């Protein structure tokens, strides 16, 4: 049995949260990636923060969240411009699943976050 076998991941796009829940859609949130959607220079998901509750660390939850974020982006044919240090490291270790974002897209994501820190 996988350590994350009882974890379901749900995208709450309106709130900019990709949540890992134990025990289904209404279960306890055990981790999340906070993100926003960038529209220009191209549409992208911009993860800014990853959290896993301390009692659930070391179970692969953060990696599962990062993998699903890139999966969502692939299904929507949009990019991921990671600003979250965890997601940046995860993407470096999984280049086949996490295409690198162009430098101009990363710069636009940083500028969008600086202009509106309330994005997260």
């Amino acid at each position: 049995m996988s350590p994350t076998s009882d974890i379901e991941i749900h995208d709450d796009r309106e709130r900019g949260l990709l949540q890992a829940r134990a025990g289904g859609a209404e279960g306890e949130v055990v981790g999340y990636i906070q993100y926003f959607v960038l529209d220009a220079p191209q549409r992208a998901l911009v993860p800014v923060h990853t959290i896993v509750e301390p009692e659930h660390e070391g179970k692969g939850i953060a990696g599962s969240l990062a993998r699903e974020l890139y999966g969502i982006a692939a299904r929507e044919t949009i990019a991921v411009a990671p600003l979250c240090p965890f997601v940046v490291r995860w993407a470096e270790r999984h280049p086949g699943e996490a295409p690198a974002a162009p430098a101009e897209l990363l710069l636009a994501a940083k500028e969008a976050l600086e202009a509106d820190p309330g994005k997260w």
Side-chain angles (χ1 to χ4, degrees), residues 3-9 19-24 28 30 56 61 64:
T4 58
S5 63
D6 66 334
I7 301 296
E8 291 185 19
I9 298 178
Q19 300 175 323
R21 293 180 172 269
E28 171 193 9
V30 296
H56 296 281
I61 293 170
S64 293

Side-chain angles (χ1 to χ4, degrees), residues 4 7 9 18 59-69 86 90:
T4 58
I7 301 296
I9 298 178
L18 187 63
K59 298 177 182 177
I61 293 170
S64 293
L65 284 163
R67 179 171 280 114
E68 179 60 16
L69 183 81
F86 174 82
W90 187 90

Side-chain angles (χ1 to χ4, degrees), residues 11-18 33-49 69 72-73 76 78-84 105-120:
D11 183 18
D12 184 345
R13 182 69 52 98
E14 189 172 303
R15 293 178 51 211
L17 290 172
L18 187 63
I33 290 179
Q34 195 162 7
Y35 70 95
F36 66 92
V37 178
L38 184 69
D39 290 317
Q42 71 184 71
R43 194 158 171 81
L45 300 179
V46 183
V48 293
H49 199 51
L69 183 81
I72 290 168
E76 295 180 12
I78 61 176
V80 175
L83 299 182
C84 167
L105 186 58
L106 289 170
L107 180 60
K110 288 177 187 173
E111 289 173 349
L113 186 59
E114 289 170 2
D116 183 3
K119 287 188 180 298
W120 73 287

